[in-house]
Amino acid sequence: MAGAVLRTARTVLREHLAEAAAIDAVFARDVARRVADFTLGGGKRARPRFLWWAMRACGGGAGAVDAALRLGVALELIQTCALVHDDVMDGSALRRGRPAVHVELADLTGGPPDTAFGTSAAVLVGDLALAWADDTVAAVTMDPATRSRVLAIWRAMRTEMVAGQYLDLHGQAAATRTAAHALRTACLKSALYSVERPLALGAALAGADDRTTAALRAAGRSAGTAFQLRDDLLGAFGDPAVTGKPSGGDLRDGKPTYLVAVARERAEAAGDTAVLAVLDEGVGDPGLTEEGLARVREALTLGGARAAVEHRANRLAAEAEARLDLAGLAPAGARQLRLLLRETAVGRTPSPPATASGIAPEGDTTR
């Protein structure tokens, strides 16, 4: 299925690149080509797979195949927009194990790296990806009722994606540290956009009823939230060779993750001033050393936050499968969808970190 999406993406992007070349050769080379290369060059095609298997599990047949593949391409394009803009806002140097788009563009002028140019040009790369995503959706052949359902989901998904990114930024700027805020951000930025809405698009293409669609959406929200919680763990403990991003980047950036919020709440409840001091000193310090990073990781582990987040993610993964059972899906599609939800919700678990022995636990910090 992922191969079919890739083949469709090549066809769609070839058309867009030809249009860009007719406008201007430099724009086509520097901006449009980067949209195409980024979209085709990596990722697991998870969103198109959710859409496809939801469509099949809800009884969609041959008549929905082309629409599903083209909507899958649109999801890949909007993901390109999200990742390129996310790297600009976070100042991330790496994406998928290679220089981020804004870093590549900073070297384009031939002289010393021009970060201002790279940042501005990368914003345009993301903007163009979003425009092409909308154009792709608009060009899909659907009957009027299906189009109305699909467009309503697409509009909601775009706005939710932006809202989630803003809450992420706002949480950093305003030092919002509550677990509730972190979960809300995770829901908007990951669960809805990455899983629930693609499932809803597949159900809409198949003409699924409200009960089936609601069960699918609930399963997707649980799995997507579990994914984001595990992504928080990878952001703190993950190996750059596996994640393709710098280790501890979320901690240095001061991202208001659920992991850090739980660590603070547990330390405050236990009166653990040592853990709180390490978190206050290290989280949000862009110059955090490897030794300092090890101390923060130890605080997250000794205070029980890491285990608590892993437990919550496991519970959400189980909820996703239980809710999928309520959808009344076609068996073959349901099996594939179950595997995909499990793959998303369980994901990769980082290995235990080496401790720095820089924290003296106070009271019971192993809960």
Side-chain angles (χ1 to χ4, degrees), residues 44-136:
K44 296 183 293 184
R45 319 296 176 196
R47 291 162 188 82
R49 289 160 68 200
F50 277 122
L51 186 157
W52 174 266
W53 287 113
M55 182 271 290
R56 293 298 304 274
C58 291
V65 167
D66 184 68
L69 292 174
R70 288 180 177 273
L71 287 175
V73 174
L75 287 171
E76 289 294 282
L77 282 165
I78 203 171
Q79 173 70 344
T80 293
C81 165
L83 293 180
V84 171
H85 283 175
D86 191 58
D87 287 342
V88 167
M89 286 181 268
D90 289 348
S92 298
L94 292 175
R95 170 64 65 180
R96 294 172 177 168
R98 57 173 295 166
V101 169
H102 66 279
V103 175
E104 282 187 342
L105 287 165
D107 292 327
L108 199 62
T109 57
D114 188 338
T115 55
F117 170 81
T119 297
S120 299
V123 170
L124 295 177
V125 170
D127 289 348
L128 184 62
L130 179 58
W132 284 1
D134 282 343
D135 290 345
T136 302

Coordinates of all heavy atoms in Angstrom, one line a residue, residues 44-136:
K44 N 7.2 6.8 7.1 CA 6.6 5.4 7.1 C 5.3 5.4 6.4 O 4.6 4.4 6.4 CB 6.5 4.9 8.5 CG 7.8 4.7 9.3 CD 7.6 4.1 10.7 CE 6.9 5.1 11.6 NZ 6.7 4.6 13.0
R45 N 4.8 6.6 5.9 CA 3.5 6.6 5.2 C 2.4 6.2 6.2 O 1.4 5.6 5.7 CB 3.5 5.8 3.9 CG 4.7 5.9 3.1 CD 5.0 7.2 2.5 NE 6.2 7.3 1.8 CZ 6.9 8.4 1.4 NH1 6.4 9.5 1.8 NH2 8.0 8.3 0.8
A46 N 2.5 6.5 7.4 CA 1.6 6.0 8.4 C 0.2 6.6 8.2 O -0.8 5.9 8.3 CB 2.1 6.3 9.8
R47 N 0.1 7.9 7.9 CA -1.2 8.5 7.7 C -2.0 8.0 6.5 O -3.1 7.6 6.7 CB -1.0 10.0 7.6 CG -0.6 10.6 9.0 CD 0.0 12.1 8.8 NE 0.6 12.5 10.1 CZ 1.8 12.2 10.5 NH1 2.6 11.4 9.7 NH2 2.2 12.6 11.7
P48 N -1.3 7.8 5.4 CA -2.0 7.1 4.3 C -2.4 5.7 4.6 O -3.5 5.2 4.1 CB -1.0 7.2 3.1 CG -0.1 8.3 3.4 CD 0.0 8.4 4.9
R49 N -1.6 5.0 5.3 CA -1.9 3.6 5.7 C -3.2 3.6 6.6 O -4.0 2.7 6.5 CB -0.7 3.0 6.4 CG 0.4 2.7 5.4 CD 1.7 2.5 6.1 NE 1.7 1.3 6.9 CZ 2.6 1.1 7.9 NH1 3.5 2.0 8.3 NH2 2.6 -0.1 8.6
F50 N -3.3 4.5 7.6 CA -4.5 4.6 8.4 C -5.7 4.9 7.5 O -6.7 4.2 7.7 CB -4.3 5.7 9.4 CG -3.6 5.3 10.7 CD1 -2.4 6.0 11.1 CD2 -4.0 4.2 11.4 CE1 -1.7 5.6 12.2 CE2 -3.3 3.8 12.6 CZ -2.2 4.5 13.0
L51 N -5.6 5.8 6.6 CA -6.7 6.2 5.7 C -7.1 4.9 4.9 O -8.3 4.6 4.8 CB -6.3 7.3 4.8 CG -7.4 7.9 3.9 CD1 -7.0 9.3 3.5 CD2 -7.6 7.1 2.6
W52 N -6.1 4.3 4.3 CA -6.4 3.1 3.4 C -7.1 2.0 4.1 O -8.1 1.5 3.7 CB -5.1 2.7 2.8 CG -5.3 1.4 2.0 CD1 -5.1 0.1 2.4 CD2 -5.7 1.3 0.6 NE1 -5.3 -0.7 1.3 CE2 -5.7 0.0 0.2 CE3 -6.0 2.3 -0.4 CZ2 -6.0 -0.5 -1.0 CZ3 -6.3 1.9 -1.6 CH2 -6.4 0.5 -2.0
W53 N -6.5 1.6 5.3 CA -7.1 0.4 6.0 C -8.4 0.7 6.6 O -9.2 -0.2 6.8 CB -6.1 -0.2 6.9 CG -5.0 -0.9 6.2 CD1 -3.7 -0.5 6.1 CD2 -5.1 -2.0 5.3 NE1 -3.0 -1.3 5.2 CE2 -3.9 -2.3 4.8 CE3 -6.2 -2.8 5.0 CZ2 -3.6 -3.4 3.9 CZ3 -6.0 -3.9 4.1 CH2 -4.7 -4.2 3.6
A54 N -8.6 2.0 7.0 CA -9.9 2.4 7.5 C -11.0 2.3 6.4 O -12.1 1.8 6.6 CB -9.9 3.8 8.1
M55 N -10.6 2.7 5.2 CA -11.5 2.6 4.1 C -11.8 1.2 3.8 O -13.0 0.8 3.6 CB -10.8 3.3 2.9 CG -11.7 3.3 1.6 SD -11.5 1.8 0.6 CE -9.8 2.1 -0.1
R56 N -10.8 0.3 3.8 CA -11.0 -1.1 3.5 C -11.8 -1.8 4.6 O -12.7 -2.6 4.3 CB -9.7 -1.8 3.3 CG -8.9 -1.4 2.0 CD -9.7 -1.6 0.7 NE -10.1 -3.0 0.6 CZ -9.3 -3.9 0.1 NH1 -8.1 -3.6 -0.4 NH2 -9.7 -5.2 -0.1
A57 N -11.5 -1.5 5.8 CA -12.2 -2.1 7.0 C -13.6 -1.7 7.0 O -14.5 -2.4 7.6 CB -11.5 -1.8 8.3
C58 N -14.0 -0.5 6.5 CA -15.3 0.0 6.5 C -16.1 -0.4 5.3 O -17.2 0.0 5.0 CB -15.4 1.5 6.7 SG -14.8 2.1 8.3
G59 N -15.5 -1.2 4.4 CA -16.2 -1.8 3.3 C -16.0 -1.0 2.0 O -16.7 -1.3 1.0
G60 N -15.0 -0.1 1.9 CA -14.8 0.6 0.7 C -14.2 -0.3 -0.4 O -13.3 -1.2 0.0
G61 N -14.6 -0.2 -1.6 CA -14.2 -1.1 -2.6 C -13.4 -0.4 -3.7 O -12.7 0.6 -3.5
A62 N -13.4 -1.0 -4.9 CA -12.5 -0.5 -6.0 C -12.8 0.9 -6.3 O -11.9 1.7 -6.8 CB -12.7 -1.4 -7.2
G63 N -14.0 1.4 -6.2 CA -14.4 2.7 -6.6 C -13.7 3.8 -5.7 O -13.7 5.0 -6.1
A64 N -13.3 3.4 -4.5 CA -12.6 4.4 -3.6 C -11.1 4.3 -3.6 O -10.5 5.1 -2.9 CB -13.1 4.1 -2.2
V65 N -10.5 3.4 -4.4 CA -9.1 3.2 -4.4 C -8.3 4.5 -4.8 O -7.4 5.0 -4.2 CB -8.7 2.0 -5.3 CG1 -7.2 2.0 -5.5 CG2 -9.1 0.7 -4.6
D66 N -8.7 5.1 -6.0 CA -7.9 6.2 -6.5 C -8.1 7.4 -5.5 O -7.1 8.1 -5.2 CB -8.5 6.6 -7.9 CG -7.7 7.8 -8.4 OD1 -6.5 7.6 -8.8 OD2 -8.2 8.9 -8.6
A67 N -9.3 7.6 -5.0 CA -9.5 8.7 -4.0 C -8.7 8.5 -2.8 O -8.0 9.4 -2.3 CB -11.0 8.8 -3.7
A68 N -8.6 7.2 -2.3 CA -7.8 7.0 -1.1 C -6.3 7.2 -1.3 O -5.6 7.8 -0.4 CB -8.0 5.5 -0.7
L69 N -5.8 6.8 -2.5 CA -4.4 7.0 -2.7 C -4.1 8.5 -2.9 O -3.0 9.0 -2.4 CB -4.0 6.3 -4.0 CG -4.0 4.7 -3.9 CD1 -3.7 4.1 -5.3 CD2 -3.0 4.2 -2.9
R70 N -4.9 9.2 -3.5 CA -4.6 10.7 -3.7 C -4.8 11.4 -2.4 O -4.0 12.4 -2.1 CB -5.5 11.2 -4.8 CG -5.1 10.8 -6.2 CD -5.9 11.3 -7.3 NE -5.4 10.8 -8.6 CZ -4.4 11.5 -9.3 NH1 -4.0 12.6 -8.8 NH2 -4.0 11.0 -10.5
L71 N -5.8 11.1 -1.6 CA -5.9 11.7 -0.3 C -4.7 11.3 0.6 O -4.2 12.1 1.4 CB -7.2 11.3 0.4 CG -8.4 11.9 -0.2 CD1 -9.7 11.3 0.5 CD2 -8.4 13.4 0.0
G72 N -4.1 10.1 0.4 CA -2.9 9.7 1.1 C -1.8 10.6 0.7 O -0.9 11.0 1.6
V73 N -1.6 10.9 -0.6 CA -0.6 11.9 -1.0 C -0.8 13.2 -0.4 O 0.2 13.9 0.1 CB -0.6 12.0 -2.6 CG1 0.4 13.1 -3.0 CG2 -0.3 10.6 -3.2
A74 N -2.0 13.7 -0.3 CA -2.3 15.0 0.4 C -1.9 15.0 1.8 O -1.3 15.9 2.3 CB -3.8 15.3 0.3
L75 N -2.1 13.8 2.5 CA -1.6 13.7 3.9 C -0.1 13.7 4.0 O 0.4 14.3 4.9 CB -2.2 12.4 4.5 CG -3.6 12.4 4.8 CD1 -4.1 10.9 5.2 CD2 -4.0 13.3 5.9
E76 N 0.6 13.1 3.0 CA 2.0 13.2 3.0 C 2.5 14.6 2.8 O 3.5 15.1 3.4 CB 2.6 12.3 2.0 CG 2.4 10.8 2.3 CD 3.3 10.4 3.5 OE1 4.5 10.2 3.3 OE2 2.7 10.3 4.6
L77 N 1.8 15.4 2.0 CA 2.2 16.7 1.7 C 2.0 17.6 2.9 O 2.8 18.5 3.2 CB 1.5 17.3 0.5 CG 2.0 16.8 -0.9 CD1 1.0 17.1 -2.0 CD2 3.3 17.5 -1.2
I78 N 0.9 17.5 3.6 CA 0.7 18.3 4.8 C 1.6 17.9 5.9 O 2.0 18.8 6.7 CB -0.8 18.2 5.2 CG1 -1.2 19.5 6.1 CG2 -1.1 16.9 6.0 CD1 -2.6 19.6 6.4
Q79 N 2.1 16.7 5.9 CA 3.1 16.3 6.8 C 4.4 16.9 6.5 O 5.2 17.3 7.4 CB 3.3 14.7 6.9 CG 4.4 14.2 7.7 CD 4.3 14.3 9.2 OE1 3.4 15.1 9.6 NE2 5.1 13.6 9.9
T80 N 4.8 17.1 5.2 CA 6.0 17.8 4.8 C 5.9 19.2 5.3 O 6.9 19.7 5.9 CB 6.1 17.8 3.3 OG1 6.3 16.5 2.8 CG2 7.2 18.7 2.8
C81 N 4.8 19.9 5.2 CA 4.6 21.2 5.7 C 4.8 21.2 7.2 O 5.6 22.1 7.7 CB 3.2 21.7 5.4 SG 2.7 23.2 6.3
A82 N 4.2 20.3 7.9 CA 4.3 20.3 9.4 C 5.8 20.1 9.8 O 6.3 20.8 10.8 CB 3.4 19.2 10.0
L83 N 6.5 19.2 9.2 CA 7.8 18.9 9.7 C 8.8 20.0 9.3 O 9.7 20.3 10.1 CB 8.3 17.5 9.0 CG 7.6 16.3 9.5 CD1 8.1 15.1 8.8 CD2 7.6 16.1 11.0
V84 N 8.7 20.5 8.1 CA 9.6 21.6 7.7 C 9.4 22.8 8.7 O 10.4 23.4 9.2 CB 9.4 22.0 6.3 CG1 10.2 23.3 5.9 CG2 9.8 20.9 5.4
H85 N 8.2 23.2 8.9 CA 7.9 24.3 9.8 C 8.3 24.0 11.2 O 8.8 24.9 12.0 CB 6.4 24.7 9.7 CG 6.0 25.5 8.5 ND1 4.7 25.8 8.2 CD2 6.8 26.0 7.5 CE1 4.7 26.5 7.1 NE2 6.0 26.6 6.6
D86 N 8.0 22.8 11.7 CA 8.4 22.4 13.0 C 9.9 22.5 13.2 O 10.3 23.0 14.3 CB 8.0 20.9 13.3 CG 8.1 20.5 14.7 OD1 7.4 21.2 15.6 OD2 8.7 19.6 15.0
D87 N 10.7 22.1 12.3 CA 12.1 22.2 12.4 C 12.6 23.7 12.5 O 13.5 24.0 13.2 CB 12.8 21.5 11.3 CG 12.7 20.0 11.4 OD1 12.5 19.5 12.5 OD2 12.9 19.3 10.4
V88 N 11.9 24.5 11.7 CA 12.2 26.0 11.8 C 11.9 26.5 13.1 O 12.8 27.2 13.8 CB 11.4 26.7 10.7 CG1 11.5 28.2 10.9 CG2 12.0 26.4 9.3
M89 N 10.7 26.2 13.7 CA 10.3 26.8 14.9 C 11.2 26.2 16.1 O 11.5 26.9 17.1 CB 8.9 26.5 15.2 CG 7.9 27.4 14.4 SD 6.2 27.0 14.6 CE 5.9 25.8 13.4
D90 N 11.6 25.0 16.0 CA 12.4 24.4 17.1 C 13.9 24.6 16.9 O 14.7 24.3 17.8 CB 12.2 22.9 17.1 CG 10.8 22.5 17.6 OD1 10.1 23.4 18.1 OD2 10.4 21.3 17.5
G91 N 14.3 25.1 15.7 CA 15.7 25.3 15.4 C 16.4 23.9 15.3 O 17.6 23.8 15.6
S92 N 15.7 22.9 14.9 CA 16.3 21.6 14.8 C 17.2 21.5 13.6 O 16.9 21.9 12.5 CB 15.2 20.5 14.7 OG 14.4 20.5 15.8
A93 N 18.4 20.9 13.8 CA 19.4 20.8 12.7 C 19.2 19.6 11.9 O 19.7 19.5 10.7 CB 20.8 20.9 13.3
L94 N 18.6 18.6 12.5 CA 18.5 17.3 11.8 C 17.0 16.9 11.6 O 16.2 17.2 12.4 CB 19.2 16.2 12.6 CG 20.7 16.2 12.7 CD1 21.2 15.1 13.6 CD2 21.4 16.1 11.3
R95 N 16.8 16.2 10.5 CA 15.5 15.6 10.3 C 15.7 14.3 9.4 O 16.4 14.3 8.4 CB 14.6 16.5 9.5 CG 13.3 15.9 9.0 CD 12.4 15.4 10.2 NE 11.9 16.5 11.0 CZ 11.1 16.3 12.1 NH1 10.8 15.1 12.4 NH2 10.7 17.4 12.8
R96 N 15.2 13.2 9.9 CA 15.4 11.9 9.3 C 16.9 11.6 9.0 O 17.3 11.0 8.0 CB 14.6 11.9 7.9 CG 13.1 11.9 8.1 CD 12.4 12.1 6.8 NE 10.9 12.1 7.0 CZ 10.1 12.5 6.0 NH1 10.5 12.8 4.9 NH2 8.8 12.4 6.3
G97 N 17.7 12.0 10.0 CA 19.1 11.6 9.9 C 20.0 12.5 9.0 O 21.1 12.2 8.7
R98 N 19.4 13.6 8.4 CA 20.1 14.4 7.5 C 19.8 15.9 7.9 O 18.9 16.2 8.7 CB 19.8 14.1 6.1 CG 18.3 14.3 5.7 CD 18.1 14.1 4.2 NE 18.7 15.2 3.5 CZ 18.9 15.2 2.2 NH1 18.5 14.2 1.5 NH2 19.4 16.2 1.6
P99 N 20.5 16.9 7.3 CA 20.3 18.3 7.6 C 18.8 18.6 7.3 O 18.2 18.3 6.3 CB 21.2 19.0 6.7 CG 22.4 18.1 6.5 CD 21.7 16.7 6.4
A100 N 18.2 19.4 8.3 CA 16.9 19.9 8.1 C 16.8 20.8 6.9 O 17.9 21.4 6.5 CB 16.4 20.6 9.3
V101 N 15.6 21.1 6.4 CA 15.5 21.9 5.1 C 16.1 23.3 5.3 O 16.8 23.8 4.4 CB 14.0 21.9 4.7 CG1 13.8 23.0 3.6 CG2 13.6 20.5 4.2
H102 N 15.8 23.9 6.5 CA 16.3 25.3 6.6 C 17.8 25.3 6.8 O 18.4 26.3 6.4 CB 15.7 25.9 7.9 CG 16.0 25.3 9.2 ND1 15.4 24.2 9.7 CD2 16.9 25.7 10.1 CE1 16.0 23.9 10.8 NE2 16.9 24.7 11.1
V103 N 18.4 24.2 7.2 CA 19.9 24.1 7.3 C 20.4 24.0 5.9 O 21.4 24.6 5.5 CB 20.3 23.0 8.2 CG1 21.8 22.8 8.2 CG2 19.8 23.2 9.6
E104 N 19.8 23.1 5.1 CA 20.3 22.9 3.7 C 20.2 24.3 2.9 O 21.1 24.6 2.2 CB 19.4 21.9 3.0 CG 19.7 20.5 3.3 CD 18.9 19.5 2.4 OE1 17.8 20.0 1.8 OE2 19.3 18.4 2.3
L105 N 19.1 25.0 3.1 CA 18.9 26.2 2.3 C 19.8 27.3 2.8 O 20.1 28.2 2.0 CB 17.4 26.7 2.5 CG 16.4 25.8 1.7 CD1 15.0 26.1 2.2 CD2 16.5 26.1 0.2
A106 N 20.3 27.3 4.0 CA 21.2 28.3 4.5 C 22.5 28.2 3.8 O 23.2 29.2 3.7 CB 21.4 28.1 6.0
D107 N 22.8 27.1 3.2 CA 24.1 26.9 2.5 C 23.9 27.1 1.0 O 24.9 26.9 0.2 CB 24.6 25.5 2.7 CG 25.1 25.3 4.1 OD1 25.6 26.2 4.7 OD2 25.0 24.1 4.6
L108 N 22.7 27.5 0.6 CA 22.4 27.6 -0.9 C 23.1 28.7 -1.6 O 23.4 28.6 -2.8 CB 20.9 27.7 -1.1 CG 20.3 27.3 -2.4 CD1 20.6 25.8 -2.7 CD2 18.8 27.5 -2.4
T109 N 23.4 29.8 -0.9 CA 23.9 31.0 -1.5 C 25.4 30.9 -1.9 O 25.9 31.7 -2.7 CB 23.7 32.2 -0.6 OG1 24.3 32.0 0.6 CG2 22.2 32.5 -0.4
G110 N 26.1 29.9 -1.4 CA 27.5 29.7 -1.8 C 28.5 30.3 -0.9 O 29.7 29.9 -0.9
G111 N 28.1 31.3 0.0 CA 29.0 31.9 0.9 C 28.8 31.2 2.3 O 28.4 30.1 2.4
P112 N 29.2 32.0 3.4 CA 28.9 31.4 4.7 C 27.4 31.1 4.9 O 26.6 31.8 4.2 CB 29.4 32.6 5.6 CG 30.3 33.4 4.8 CD 29.8 33.3 3.4
P113 N 27.1 30.2 5.8 CA 25.7 29.9 6.0 C 24.8 31.1 6.3 O 25.2 31.9 7.2 CB 25.7 28.9 7.1 CG 27.0 28.3 7.0 CD 28.0 29.3 6.6
D114 N 23.8 31.3 5.6 CA 22.9 32.5 5.8 C 21.6 31.9 6.4 O 20.6 31.5 5.8 CB 22.5 33.1 4.4 CG 21.7 34.4 4.5 OD1 21.1 34.6 5.6 OD2 21.7 35.2 3.6
T115 N 21.6 32.0 7.8 CA 20.5 31.3 8.5 C 19.2 32.1 8.3 O 18.1 31.4 8.3 CB 20.8 31.3 10.0 OG1 21.2 32.6 10.5 CG2 22.0 30.4 10.3
A116 N 19.3 33.4 8.2 CA 18.0 34.1 7.9 C 17.4 33.7 6.6 O 16.2 33.5 6.5 CB 18.3 35.6 8.0
F117 N 18.2 33.6 5.6 CA 17.7 33.2 4.3 C 17.1 31.8 4.4 O 16.1 31.4 3.9 CB 18.8 33.2 3.2 CG 18.4 32.6 1.9 CD1 17.6 33.2 1.0 CD2 18.8 31.3 1.6 CE1 17.2 32.6 -0.2 CE2 18.4 30.7 0.4 CZ 17.7 31.3 -0.5
G118 N 17.9 30.9 5.0 CA 17.5 29.5 5.1 C 16.2 29.3 5.8 O 15.3 28.6 5.4
T119 N 16.0 30.1 6.9 CA 14.7 30.0 7.7 C 13.6 30.5 6.9 O 12.5 29.9 6.8 CB 14.9 30.9 9.0 OG1 15.9 30.3 9.8 CG2 13.6 30.9 9.7
S120 N 13.7 31.7 6.2 CA 12.7 32.3 5.4 C 12.3 31.4 4.2 O 11.1 31.2 3.9 CB 13.1 33.7 4.9 OG 13.3 34.5 6.0
A121 N 13.3 30.8 3.6 CA 13.0 30.0 2.4 C 12.4 28.7 2.9 O 11.5 28.2 2.1 CB 14.3 29.7 1.7
A122 N 12.7 28.1 4.0 CA 12.1 26.9 4.5 C 10.6 27.1 4.8 O 9.8 26.2 4.6 CB 12.8 26.4 5.7
V123 N 10.3 28.3 5.3 CA 8.9 28.6 5.6 C 8.1 28.5 4.2 O 7.0 28.0 4.2 CB 8.7 30.0 6.2 CG1 7.3 30.5 6.2 CG2 9.3 30.0 7.6
L124 N 8.7 29.0 3.2 CA 8.0 29.0 1.9 C 7.9 27.5 1.4 O 6.9 27.2 0.7 CB 8.8 29.8 0.8 CG 8.8 31.3 1.1 CD1 9.7 32.0 0.1 CD2 7.4 31.9 1.2
V125 N 8.9 26.7 1.7 CA 8.8 25.3 1.3 C 7.6 24.6 2.0 O 6.8 23.9 1.4 CB 10.1 24.5 1.7 CG1 10.0 23.0 1.5 CG2 11.3 25.0 0.8
G126 N 7.5 24.9 3.3 CA 6.3 24.4 4.0 C 5.0 24.9 3.5 O 4.0 24.2 3.4
D127 N 5.0 26.2 3.2 CA 3.8 26.8 2.6 C 3.4 26.2 1.3 O 2.2 25.9 1.1 CB 4.0 28.3 2.4 CG 4.1 29.1 3.7 OD1 3.7 28.6 4.7 OD2 4.5 30.3 3.6
L128 N 4.4 25.9 0.5 CA 4.1 25.3 -0.8 C 3.5 23.9 -0.7 O 2.6 23.5 -1.4 CB 5.3 25.3 -1.7 CG 5.1 24.8 -3.2 CD1 4.1 25.7 -3.9 CD2 6.4 24.7 -3.9
A129 N 4.1 23.2 0.3 CA 3.6 21.8 0.6 C 2.2 21.8 1.0 O 1.4 21.0 0.6 CB 4.5 21.2 1.6
L130 N 1.8 22.8 1.8 CA 0.4 22.9 2.3 C -0.5 23.3 1.1 O -1.6 22.7 0.9 CB 0.3 23.9 3.4 CG -1.1 24.2 3.9 CD1 -1.8 22.9 4.5 CD2 -1.1 25.3 5.0
A131 N -0.1 24.2 0.2 CA -0.9 24.6 -0.9 C -1.1 23.3 -1.9 O -2.2 23.1 -2.4 CB -0.2 25.7 -1.7
W132 N 0.0 22.6 -2.1 CA -0.1 21.4 -2.9 C -1.0 20.3 -2.3 O -1.7 19.6 -3.0 CB 1.3 20.8 -3.2 CG 2.1 21.6 -4.2 CD1 1.7 22.7 -4.9 CD2 3.4 21.3 -4.7 NE1 2.7 23.1 -5.7 CE2 3.7 22.3 -5.6 CE3 4.3 20.3 -4.4 CZ2 5.0 22.3 -6.3 CZ3 5.5 20.2 -5.1 CH2 5.8 21.2 -6.0
A133 N -1.0 20.2 -1.0 CA -1.9 19.3 -0.3 C -3.3 19.7 -0.5 O -4.2 18.8 -0.9 CB -1.6 19.3 1.2
D134 N -3.7 20.9 -0.4 CA -5.0 21.4 -0.6 C -5.4 21.2 -2.1 O -6.5 20.8 -2.4 CB -5.2 22.9 -0.3 CG -5.3 23.1 1.2 OD1 -5.6 22.1 2.0 OD2 -5.1 24.2 1.7
D135 N -4.5 21.5 -3.0 CA -4.8 21.3 -4.4 C -5.0 19.8 -4.7 O -5.9 19.5 -5.6 CB -3.6 21.8 -5.3 CG -3.4 23.3 -5.3 OD1 -4.3 24.0 -4.9 OD2 -2.3 23.7 -5.7
T136 N -4.3 18.9 -4.1 CA -4.5 17.5 -4.3 C -5.8 17.0 -3.9 O -6.5 16.3 -4.5 CB -3.4 16.7 -3.6 OG1 -2.1 17.2 -4.1 CG2 -3.5 15.2 -3.9

